[in-house]
Amino acid sequence: MGRGKLRIYLGAAPGVGKTYAMLSEAHRRVERGTDCVVGFVEHHGRPRTEVMLHGLEEVGRRELSYRGAVFTEMDVDAVLARGPAVVLVDELAHSNVPGSRNGKRWQDVAELLAAGIDVVSTVNIQHLESLGDVVESITGVRQRETVPDEVVRRADQIELVDMSPQALRRRMAHGNIYKSDKVDAALSNYFRPGNLTALRELALLWVADRVDEYLQAYRGEHNIRTTWQARERIVVGITGGPEGRTLIRRAARLAEKGAGGEVLAVYISRSDGLTAASPKELAVQRTLVEDMGGTFHHVIGDDIPSALLEFARGVNATQIVLGSSRRKAWQYVFGPGVGATVARESGPDLDVHIVTHEEAAKGRGLPVARGARLGRPRIIWGWVVGVAGPVVLALTLSNVDADLGLANDMLLFLSLTVAAALLGGLLPALASAAFGSFLLNWFFTPPLHRVTIADPKNIVAIVIFVGVAVAVASVVDLAARRTHQAARLRAESEILSFLAGSVLRGETTLDALLERVRETFAMESVALLERAGDGEPWTCAGSVGPAPVERPEDADVDMPVGDHMALALSGRVLPAEDRRVLAAFAAQAAVVLDRQRLQQEAERARTLAEGNRIRTALLAAVSHDLRTPLAAIKAAVSSLRSDDVAWSDDDEAELLAAIEEGADRLDNLVGNLLDMSRLQTGTVQPLIREIDLDEVVPMALGGVPEDSVGLDIPESLPMVRVDPGLLERAVANIVENAVKYSPEGQRVLVAASTLGDRVELRVVDRGPGVPDDAKDRIFEPFQRYGDAPRGAGVGLGLAVARGFAEAMSGTLAAEDTPGGGLTMVLTLTAAAGRARPRAELSAQVTS
């Protein structure tokens, strides 16, 4: 009997419809005559899911006693004895009650599969073992019930059951997932829109990776080399030349035209490691392709067209982007070029784009040869070995009685030539070859101690020795130079890659960049100098190290940046070959300085614009909103002072109440204006201390009518680190705003809960709500949403509340209330060291 097949319905969160989809599949199979039974399905009291169980045969469950309670689990023995073709097993990650046949339900499933029974099961993405830490960081809930990823990956079929976060929250609000008493807690904790969106993305990406695995495995099993255009994968062939940036941007535009497009930049170098590519340009292009969401690949291949096509087919690419050849017209006599060859051999499954650019037909140029910097000690030792070594060797061999023969003598002298080349380079090796050939002729070639050579064979031997010595010395010296060159280019590439990446992403300040220059070139001090114009004095824009120079002329090394800026270094004189990297640093320093100044100018402009807007709005508020309560107070006072009217006690009380109400409104308006002024000028200094929410929130409700607000603040909440005065004002403004927009008879709910190391205070109303595009605007000063009457305030309450929240390292945001209305979420920092209650929702989110 063969192994059974496993089909899994994967969901992003509870309630998306996994169990319903599984039961629908069971009904379809029963209608086709398949022997299908229910091994274990939990409907969680959901009526629509419970209805789907009707008409399906259920295998009896096994009852187990644990800690005085009775639990039911799937009876694996009963299912095996029944021997159906297909069995439904819900909640694959479920942990069985102690005393069960297996500890985990997926182990029960493994037994059923081994018995040749097909299994249909369900699991949520948060229960995959590898995603436990990710899910906890998103939701604040640690999943105790997990299933190994490999168990799910080995499934024969995986079907994603998807639903948008908004639709799932509506389903939750309608009571289709949890009972009504658990809906509010679930919506405000685990089922927040952000949590559901992140979990949905995790599920989609995990299934997409699984689809790619299926596709690659199928293509490998069937030896399929042609491209299957499942989605656009665009390979960009770059050479390290200046045209690479144009090609990358062109490929990115092509990828944007199709959903899910992907850009892969590939640089192909020869196996000998010799290349004319600029390491600096390659580093810039790598950063560019990564910034655009693509990937960079380095491939070794002597046949560049074949290597490029092999790479493209290996990644299932659909398009290749290449640049027009930089070769001149006469160079085509050596072959058609990479672009033409790739286009000819790509076949019908790969589209090849040849992109024109400014460098086309201008010639490639040759790599610049650079000498090896061996250092004075190595060169001295090279000359010592190359000149003194042959003398010592000749004297030693002359005083030894053993006759080694001319061939062995030549090999010994040749070894000294090789050693001289390794130590001192080519010149000491050539000197060693010449001097060694003379000593061989003088001491070991008859007639001895004479320059002449009697035997013609020895003449040939000496000539061959000289030729071999020169050739070996040249090769060894070239290898040493290439090794040093490769090491240097690698170091430069790493430096430039770091420089380009950090600066282009705006991660480097001017001081950090100058410090990097000082460390890279081992300098004492580095300064960036600038002046307003020719003849003007130099000023220091930034410096690191002791005693930076004040003029470029006083520096050991100065690198001009434009006409009126220079990078000045003190400590030592740099060789010419280091100035190329220094020039890149200097250019980036100028860019960083300009960026910092632009940011400062933008911040000043923003501050001035905001201040101007505040002043304009303040004038409008003073001219109207502040005059309204003053007018009411003036009218009431004038009425009381009128001598021609005899006011009754009730009338006087009513007029006094109007005066008091107007004064309260005026005090509230002036208080908010003063608070906003303090926030704008940055003079709010919170006094942070640890306090319980239930000590502050009730005090903030004094300004609203009784019975208009309901409180739900658990006693188990941790303390929060806040300024009690600022928190009270913030909560008061939020609650007053909620009560103002709530319908008559609808109470505002103020509830608190924990989320990770934060405490959330949620103010929920059932008013008209606010569209998504206006949720940020309602926190701006002097903003009133909708058709609020002019007498309803100047629109500062929420702006002040958010300002106070941010001053206490908290946040204030607006969310939709399920079923209609607006929910204000005030997030505060929980006090350290206070144990938080374990999340109670984890047991509810296992289905």
Side-chain angles (χ1 to χ4, degrees):
M1 180 180 296
R3 179 179 176 84
K5 294 183 178 180
L6 175 61
R7 179 187 180 96
I8 292 179
Y9 286 92
L10 177 69
V16 295
K18 302 179 304 300
T19 305
Y20 191 93
M22 178 180 66
L23 293 172
S24 299
E25 173 67 17
H27 280 286
R28 287 192 293 271
R29 297 197 181 199
V30 170
E31 291 174 359
R32 294 195 300 264
T34 304
D35 184 13
C36 181
V37 301
V38 175
F40 188 97
V41 169
E42 184 60 64
H43 55 74
H44 296 286
R46 301 166 189 168
R48 295 186 179 181
T49 306
E50 187 175 3
V51 169
M52 292 296 294
L53 285 170
H54 297 166
L56 297 177
E57 178 185 350
E58 295 189 52
V59 178
R61 301 184 184 183
R62 181 183 179 188
E63 293 186 354
L64 295 168
S65 298
Y66 180 67
R67 293 183 178 179
V70 177
F71 299 89
T72 59
E73 297 287 0
M74 180 176 66
D75 193 336
V76 180
D77 293 327
V79 175
L80 292 174
R82 170 64 174 76
V86 180
V87 61
L88 308 184
V89 182
D90 204 5
E91 298 180 2
L92 186 63
H94 172 75
S95 297
N96 293 329
V97 175
S100 301
R101 182 189 187 97
N102 296 297
K104 292 284 190 176
R105 184 163 292 165
W106 61 265
Q107 295 172 329
D108 296 337
V109 169
E111 282 196 38
L112 299 177
L113 294 173
I117 301 174
D118 293 347
V119 178
V120 182
S121 188
T122 64
V123 72
N124 283 329
I125 192 67
Q126 64 264 29
H127 295 296
L128 295 183
E129 200 167 75
S130 65
L131 300 178
D133 294 337
V134 179
V135 173
E136 183 179 14
S137 66
I138 295 172
T139 64
V141 177
R142 182 67 180 184
Q143 300 296 332
R144 295 187 298 273
E145 296 185 330
T146 60
V147 58
D149 289 45
E150 189 60 27
V151 173
V152 182
R153 287 185 179 275
R154 285 201 304 264
D156 299 275
Q157 298 180 56
I158 299 177
E159 182 172 335
L160 178 65
V161 183
D162 190 27
M163 177 176 287
S164 68
Q166 294 77 12
L168 183 57
R169 284 173 59 85
R170 284 196 300 270
R171 179 180 288 184
M172 171 71 73
H174 295 158
N176 295 332
I177 301 177
Y178 292 155
K179 294 182 180 179
S180 58
D181 59 337
K182 298 180 180 179
V183 169
D184 288 338
L187 288 174
S188 61
N189 287 277
Y190 194 89
F191 286 81
R192 295 157 54 92
N195 292 356
L196 297 178
T197 302
L199 292 174
R200 187 188 189 197
E201 182 179 15
L202 278 178
L204 290 171
L205 291 175
W206 195 91
V207 173
D209 289 341
R210 181 59 175 153
V211 170
D212 277 345
E213 292 177 10
Y214 276 133
L215 182 60
Q216 294 298 335
Y218 182 85
R219 285 164 53 86
E221 292 172 359
H222 294 79
N223 195 26
I224 298 174
R225 303 296 298 164
T226 58
T227 299
W228 284 5
Q229 300 183 2
R231 63 172 173 169
E232 293 294 341
R233 281 192 175 94
I234 303 173
V235 171
V236 187
I238 58 177
T239 63
E243 77 282 359
R245 307 184 197 186
T246 302
L247 303 182
I248 292 171
R249 293 189 179 97
R250 177 61 175 161
R253 291 195 297 271
L254 290 173
E256 290 174 357
K257 294 180 180 179
E262 184 179 358
V263 176
L264 301 91
V266 57
Y267 170 68
I268 301 175
S269 61
R270 299 186 183 278
S271 58
D272 56 10
L274 305 181
T275 177
S278 167
K280 175 183 176 181
E281 186 63 28
L282 277 178
V284 171
Q285 292 174 15
R286 177 172 193 152
T287 302
L288 177 62
V289 71
E290 290 175 351
D291 288 343
M292 291 186 172
T295 57
F296 183 89
H297 305 268
H298 188 176
V299 177
I300 305 297
D302 292 325
D303 188 348
I304 293 179
S306 298
L308 181 61
L309 289 171
E310 185 71 20
F311 174 82
R313 292 192 175 104
V315 298
N316 200 28
T318 58
Q319 302 181 53
I320 297 178
V321 175
L322 299 174
S324 297
S325 178
R326 285 185 284 144
R327 298 192 302 173
K328 294 184 180 297
W330 62 268
Q331 292 177 309
Y332 281 95
V333 300
F334 300 107
V338 173
T341 305
V342 170
R344 185 181 66 246
E345 299 179 0
S346 61
D349 56 339
L350 274 173
D351 296 334
V352 179
H353 301 264
I354 305 297
V355 180
T356 58
H357 51 86
E358 295 179 354
E359 302 298 323
K362 291 186 177 180
R364 288 183 173 272
L366 297 174
V368 180
R370 302 190 304 154
R373 294 170 55 190
L374 299 176
R376 185 180 297 272
R378 286 191 59 177
I379 294 176
I380 293 175
W381 275 106
W383 281 104
V384 168
V385 172
V387 176
V391 174
V392 174
L393 179 60
L395 294 176
T396 302
L397 293 176
S398 298
N399 295 324
V400 175
D401 294 335
D403 185 8
L404 300 178
L406 183 59
N408 291 327
D409 294 338
M410 287 183 177
L411 290 176
L412 291 175
F413 278 92
L414 184 61
S415 64
L416 291 176
T417 302
V418 174
L422 289 173
L423 290 173
L426 183 59
L427 292 179
L430 294 178
S432 176
F435 196 42
S437 62
F438 170 76
L439 293 177
L440 281 171
N441 181 20
W442 186 267
F443 287 101
F444 305 103
T445 305
L448 301 179
H449 307 299
R450 294 180 62 183
V451 180
T452 60
I453 301 175
D455 190 352
K457 294 180 179 180
N458 292 335
I459 296 176
V460 175
I462 293 295
V463 171
I464 292 175
F465 167 77
V466 174
V468 171
V470 171
V472 170
S474 300
V475 171
V476 172
D477 176 70
L478 179 62
R481 288 173 181 269
R482 291 298 188 187
T483 301
H484 176 78
Q485 183 182 19
R488 179 175 179 81
L489 288 175
R490 179 179 179 183
E492 288 186 6
S493 176
E494 291 176 354
I495 292 172
L496 293 172
S497 176
F498 164 80
L499 179 64
S502 59
V503 174
L504 289 176
R505 288 189 293 268
E507 300 173 352
T508 302
T509 62
L510 181 60
D511 289 342
L513 182 62
L514 296 180
E515 182 64 30
R516 179 77 178 186
V517 174
R518 191 172 74 90
E519 293 177 355
T520 300
F521 298 101
M523 290 294 181
E524 293 180 0
S525 63
V526 179
L528 183 63
L529 307 176
E530 62 176 347
R531 59 182 178 182
D534 295 337
E536 297 291 332
W538 290 93
T539 59
C540 182
S543 64
V544 294
V549 297
E550 299 179 355
R551 301 184 306 168
E553 296 83 2
D554 300 332
D556 294 316
V557 180
D558 70 286
M559 176 59 63
V561 187
D563 296 330
H564 304 113
M565 187 176 293
L567 191 65
L569 294 80
S570 300
R572 65 186 181 94
V573 178
L574 288 180
E577 54 193 13
D578 283 346
R579 294 182 66 87
R580 183 166 66 109
V581 179
L582 181 60
F585 273 109
Q588 294 291 10
V591 171
V592 171
L593 180 61
D594 289 342
R595 177 182 292 154
Q596 289 183 352
R597 288 176 175 174
L598 288 174
Q599 289 175 346
Q600 293 171 0
E601 290 293 333
E603 182 63 25
R604 283 196 292 267
R606 189 195 65 80
T607 303
L608 290 175
E610 182 69 16
N612 184 60
R613 191 178 69 83
I614 293 294
R615 284 191 295 271
T616 303
L618 181 59
L619 289 175
V622 171
S623 65
H624 186 282
D625 293 281
L626 294 181
R627 291 179 62 184
T628 300
L630 285 175
I633 294 173
K634 173 66 176 176
V637 172
S638 298
S639 298
L640 287 174
R641 296 188 61 186
S642 177
D643 297 332
D644 56 351
V645 178
W647 301 103
S648 65
D649 293 341
D650 293 338
D651 292 336
E652 289 184 357
E654 185 176 351
L655 291 173
L656 291 174
I659 294 174
E660 183 179 14
E661 181 182 357
D664 290 339
R665 288 179 56 192
L666 186 62
D667 178 69
N668 186 44
L669 292 174
V670 172
N672 279 333
L673 288 171
L674 292 177
D675 289 338
M676 180 53 59
S677 175
R678 292 168 58 202
L679 290 171
Q680 292 293 330
T681 57
T683 58
V684 176
Q685 298 294 333
L687 301 177
I688 303 298
R689 65 186 181 91
E690 297 181 1
I691 194 171
D692 286 320
L693 276 182
D694 54 9
E695 297 180 22
V696 178
V697 174
M699 298 174 60
L701 306 182
V704 297
E706 294 183 5
D707 297 331
S708 63
V709 178
L711 282 179
D712 182 14
I713 301 180
E715 296 182 357
S716 58
L717 278 179
M719 301 177 74
V720 292
R721 290 181 49 80
V722 295
D723 182 317
L726 298 184
L727 178 60
E728 181 181 346
R729 290 296 303 275
V731 174
N733 284 353
I734 298 171
V735 173
E736 289 174 6
N737 184 79
V739 172
K740 182 190 308 179
Y741 289 98
S742 289
E744 189 70 25
Q746 290 281 351
R747 300 179 68 188
V748 172
L749 174 64
V750 179
S753 61
T754 58
L755 181 65
D757 59 348
R758 314 286 284 178
V759 173
E760 286 189 348
L761 185 69
R762 308 177 74 87
V763 180
V764 183
D765 67 62
R766 295 292 179 178
V770 176
D772 291 339
D773 57 356
K775 283 187 172 63
D776 286 334
R777 293 202 305 271
I778 62 177
F779 294 104
E780 297 178 5
F782 304 102
Q783 296 290 323
R784 292 180 299 182
Y785 178 70
D787 57 352
R790 294 290 297 175
V794 295
L796 285 176
L798 294 181
V800 170
R802 171 173 276 190
F804 284 170
E806 293 176 350
M808 297 181 293
S809 300
T811 60
L812 177 62
E815 296 179 358
D816 290 329
T817 301
L822 190 67
T823 298
M824 290 291 176
V825 183
L826 177 61
T827 305
L828 305 170
T829 304
R834 176 81 175 263
R836 299 192 306 271
R838 187 174 60 186
E840 300 177 356
L841 193 60
S842 59
Q844 303 173 10
V845 298
T846 58
S847 62

